Amino acid sequence: MSASLQMEKRHETVSALENEYFDLVIVGGGITGAGIALDAVTRGLKVALVEKNDFASGTSSKSTKLIHGGLRYLKQFEFGLVREVGKERAILHKLATHLVRPEKMLLPLTKDGNYGKIIASVGLMVYDVLADVEKADQRKMLSAADTKVLEPLLANNNIEGGGLYSEYQTDDFRLVIELLKAAQSEGAKVINYTACTRFIQKAGVIAGVEVKDELLDTEYKIYADYVINAAGPWSDDIRKYQEEVTGKKLHLTKGVHLVLPYEKFPIQQSLYFDVPDGRMIFAIPRKDITYLGTTDTFYDQDLKDLRTTMDDVHYLLDSANSYFPALGLKTEDVISSWVGVRPLIAEEGKSASEISRKDEIFISEQGLITIAGGKLTGYRKMAKRAVETLLDRRHDDTGKKIPKCKTKKYKLPGNGFKSPKAITKYKKSLAKTNSHLSKIEISYLVDLYGTQTDAIIEATHNGTNIIEAEVAFCITNEWVYHLADFYIYRTGRLFFDLESVRSSHLIVADQMQNLLGWSDSQKEQEVLVLNQKIKEATVFE
């Protein structure tokens, strides 16, 4: 795709946003906004979505990368939440089989830990029932000896047993992109790097948004019957455009994850374990790295200055070393990190880790619908509730029927699989017919893109480098406009394969210059920005 053609597509989207009338405008291009867009457009609504930065650039690329059933919420007696997210987990595995991948999780039981043998056994059994876990994946209780066989790194002195149960690993940013691609294929108009700057009001009611396009340096208005604010940590800022924020407000908590070489943290499977302050954290192996997290602390500073501190690093490494003393993890072992904030609903007197992850919907006097809180796993149900809130209001005003939600069975792009076995078979088939690619490269592509891998590999048959083929695919199909878009919010390479970023970014910058029409100075600026992102992920103060 030529530079002019790529920007022409953006101009066409802007023209539609500026000149057409919509049923709904969504502010926010994270997992919640993307879920709302697909839900609404498949019910027949005319939908627009704007995101001020890149898609998934906020909380939706900073999670623990798990679609999990919320085992810890059993301790808070939030049975409804466990049941809902557990069932959603099973649904998401079917909707995006290549992106929501089965993962065994070991819960070691210690003398003074959060879970004793009886509580853990009953809790995991209830978890299996509430989360509707298939029989083959249901929990298995282990003796102390069996637990240590599964995980030899565990300290000898305080292990009383363990529980082995099922979770699912994912790439959160890919879920967002595939949801948006699905929504666009159904007719939604979606655009990134376009900030909502104020609301349009008619007779005291919100009738759309005014926006500024950062890339085209233009401002325009988008008219719509309804606006949903799904801006995550920035939701209260958006609410302030039309009213003083009173009553329930957002309470932001900061979560940090560290990435270490697998050889430094060679665990045999994912772990959910106790740490000295009474919390629990995850350690998750992924190819040649293991990542560790998360912290959970209040955050009331500037969101533009969000970064991993040395205190965060020490907390996570000390926690891991207390549980796995043989590791001796050090600061210099950390390859990279990511940090995000959770947009929770403030609750008086509760610590960061105690605040509920339930979502809530607020409706202003001017008609702005805001949804906040919630979990990655529950995004589809959150979207359903937000859209049905809008449809209920529309029914009251117009008497129009409320169409049913269709996203429960809507497979996302790239998911041509019925089971994980089908994915393995697909990878083997690609390896046989594409000897110029390694099994590692093929596995990487399939885990991110599913059957869309065919299109990427096809481009390599004329001698194109595999990463250049991947870049071209993302620019053509996935709204990539900056170097960091590709390396962070489409592929996660900056988190999971930092060396590949360092070794390829100049070649990719040249390619993107050609495809996007950058000037030499603009290309230099893109490289500077990416290097700054690398520094933020690797240098701690």
Side-chain angles (χ1 to χ4, degrees), residues 232-531:
W234 295 270
S235 291
D236 279 355
D237 293 339
I238 297 298
R239 290 168 71 192
K240 289 175 184 176
Y241 289 161
Q242 43 91 53
E243 66 176 6
E244 182 181 351
V245 178
T246 58
K248 288 189 175 181
K249 300 180 181 180
L250 290 187
H251 189 105
L252 304 182
T253 70
K254 176 183 169 183
V256 170
H257 294 79
L258 303 181
V259 178
L260 300 109
Y262 181 75
E263 62 187 25
K264 294 288 186 179
F265 203 160
I267 50 178
Q268 302 304 302
Q269 65 275 299
S270 294
L271 292 162
Y272 185 40
F273 61 96
D274 296 283
V275 296
D277 66 359
R279 294 182 62 250
M280 298 186 73
I281 62 176
F282 292 98
I284 300 173
R286 177 171 169 148
K287 295 176 181 168
D288 58 354
I289 61 96
T290 298
Y291 64 93
L292 179 70
T294 176
T295 61
D296 200 2
T297 53
F298 293 134
Y299 188 79
D300 59 1
Q301 306 301 309
D302 188 346
L303 288 172
K304 293 180 181 178
D305 195 36
L306 188 64
R307 61 187 61 210
T308 301
T309 67
M310 193 59 77
D311 285 344
D312 299 321
V313 174
H314 286 157
Y315 172 81
L316 290 172
L317 294 184
D318 290 347
S319 296
N321 285 329
S322 72
Y323 215 82
F324 305 97
L327 291 177
L329 297 174
K330 301 174 183 177
T331 303
E332 52 265 34
D333 295 329
V334 179
I335 300 172
S336 64
S337 70
W338 68 85
V339 53
V341 290
R342 308 171 190 87
L344 307 179
I345 311 301
E347 293 183 63
E348 193 70 31
K350 288 195 174 183
S351 69
S353 59
E354 291 174 328
I355 294 177
S356 173
R357 268 57 175 171
K358 287 181 179 177
D359 58 278
E360 291 198 37
I361 292 175
F362 313 114
I363 304 176
S364 73
E365 291 183 6
Q366 292 86 2
L368 176 67
I369 300 170
T370 296
I371 183 164
K375 291 168 52 63
L376 174 67
T377 308
Y379 84 82
R380 197 190 66 85
K381 273 296 187 72
M382 289 175 64
K384 183 173 183 285
R385 280 192 280 271
V387 173
E388 289 180 350
T389 297
L390 179 159
L391 293 172
D392 284 341
R393 290 176 67 83
R394 188 179 73 161
H395 174 75
D396 291 342
D397 293 338
T398 66
K400 289 184 178 180
K401 291 183 179 180
I402 299 176
K404 290 184 179 180
C405 177
K406 297 180 180 179
T407 58
K408 188 174 182 179
K409 296 182 178 180
Y410 194 107
K411 286 198 171 187
L412 298 187
N415 182 22
F417 311 106
K418 291 185 177 180
S419 69
K421 288 183 179 179
I423 297 173
T424 301
K425 185 177 180 181
Y426 176 63
K427 289 179 179 178
K428 288 181 178 179
S429 174
L430 289 176
K432 282 184 179 179
T433 56
N434 297 279
S435 58
H436 62 297
L437 299 177
S438 70
K439 290 182 180 179
I440 292 174
E441 288 173 323
I442 288 171
S443 181
Y444 158 81
L445 290 172
V446 173
D447 286 348
L448 284 184
Y449 303 100
T451 54
Q452 298 168 113
T453 299
D454 288 340
I456 298 173
I457 290 180
E458 180 65 28
T460 68
H461 291 161
N462 62 6
T464 301
N465 182 289
I466 185 64
I467 196 170
E468 291 179 310
E470 187 183 5
V471 170
F473 176 86
C474 290
I475 289 176
T476 303
N477 300 284
E478 298 184 351
W479 309 281
V480 167
Y481 294 100
H482 294 295
L483 203 52
D485 296 350
F486 173 73
Y487 280 116
I488 303 177
Y489 308 119
R490 299 302 179 278
T491 68
R493 285 173 180 265
L494 190 140
F495 303 141
F496 300 121
D497 192 4
L498 188 55
E499 283 309 307
S500 77
V501 181
R502 289 178 169 139
S503 64
S504 68
H505 75 279
L506 294 179
I507 295 171
V508 171
D510 286 341
Q511 180 188 9
M512 292 184 72
Q513 180 180 25
N514 292 331
L515 291 175
L516 294 169
W518 294 343
S519 63
D520 288 343
S521 62
Q522 188 175 355
K523 182 179 72 172
E524 290 174 7
Q525 181 61 28
E526 290 287 336
V527 172
L528 286 173
V529 170
L530 180 65
N531 284 333

